[in-house]
Amino acid sequence: MRYQTAIVLNLFVPGTGLILARREWLGIALAALFGVLVQLGLWGCLIEPARVPTWLVATCLAGSALVWLAAQYLLRQRLVLMRNPDVQEELTRLRDQAADHLANGGYKDAWATLQVALAIDDEDLDSNVLVAELLAALGRVDEARKAWRRVAQLDRGGVCRGRTVEGLDRLRGR
């Protein structure tokens, strides 16, 4: 669902799909550049064609077309990377490593490993469960509650519903 939404948004406003694909600054920059170029081009075409030089209008509209094409290309490259099975294997390896650190009391190492996993995919359910468990183990109750709520939000299939309820129940007493 996330991939399709990114594609559709990127078609209408180039760069917005990149924001969903975790390339926020690039997406914002492309969307802003596209907006400015289109606005200037349309201003010169439709509102004040006598005052704006033709070369400027043509340059702005051509530039906006190039930005649109570049945004489509960059999003495609990003989505291919995100769907790469090697990336998913790496994400699984990072989660397993974080779970081992968490089980052995290596909270600092678990946190660092989870940050890398979340940088790859911040909507990965299993990584978010580990974050919630780590925050609870560290005694950061408010942050752990927020993390468990995020898990509940991401768990569209209800796979971790019992685990989420149990995690939130453990935090009620604190």
Side-chain angles (χ1 to χ4, degrees), residues 41-106:
L42 292 177
W43 181 271
C45 256
L46 304 173
I47 298 174
E48 294 197 37
R51 295 178 89 191
V52 179
T54 307
W55 66 266
L56 182 59
V57 172
T59 302
C60 288
L61 293 177
S64 63
L66 285 174
V67 169
W68 188 88
L69 288 171
Q72 305 316 309
Y73 175 76
L74 291 170
L75 178 64
R76 183 181 183 288
Q77 295 300 102
R78 178 66 179 158
L79 292 180
V80 166
L81 175 69
M82 289 174 71
R83 289 183 173 171
N84 186 337
D86 293 337
V87 172
Q88 292 306 316
E89 288 175 18
E90 181 65 17
L91 188 59
T92 302
R93 188 189 66 73
L94 287 168
R95 277 194 315 259
D96 292 344
Q97 187 178 6
D100 288 343
H101 288 307
L102 184 59
N104 296 325

Side-chain angles (χ1 to χ4, degrees), residues 79-136:
L79 292 180
V80 166
L81 175 69
M82 289 174 71
R83 289 183 173 171
N84 186 337
D86 293 337
V87 172
Q88 292 306 316
E89 288 175 18
E90 181 65 17
L91 188 59
T92 302
R93 188 189 66 73
L94 287 168
R95 277 194 315 259
D96 292 344
Q97 187 178 6
D100 288 343
H101 288 307
L102 184 59
N104 296 325
Y107 299 138
K108 186 176 179 180
D109 292 333
W111 183 253
T113 305
L114 285 171
Q115 292 306 305
V116 174
L118 291 175
I120 293 171
D121 185 2
D122 67 334
E123 291 187 355
D124 179 57
L125 182 61
D126 295 327
S127 297
N128 279 282
V129 167
L130 288 171
V131 167
E133 290 176 349
L134 175 61
L135 290 170

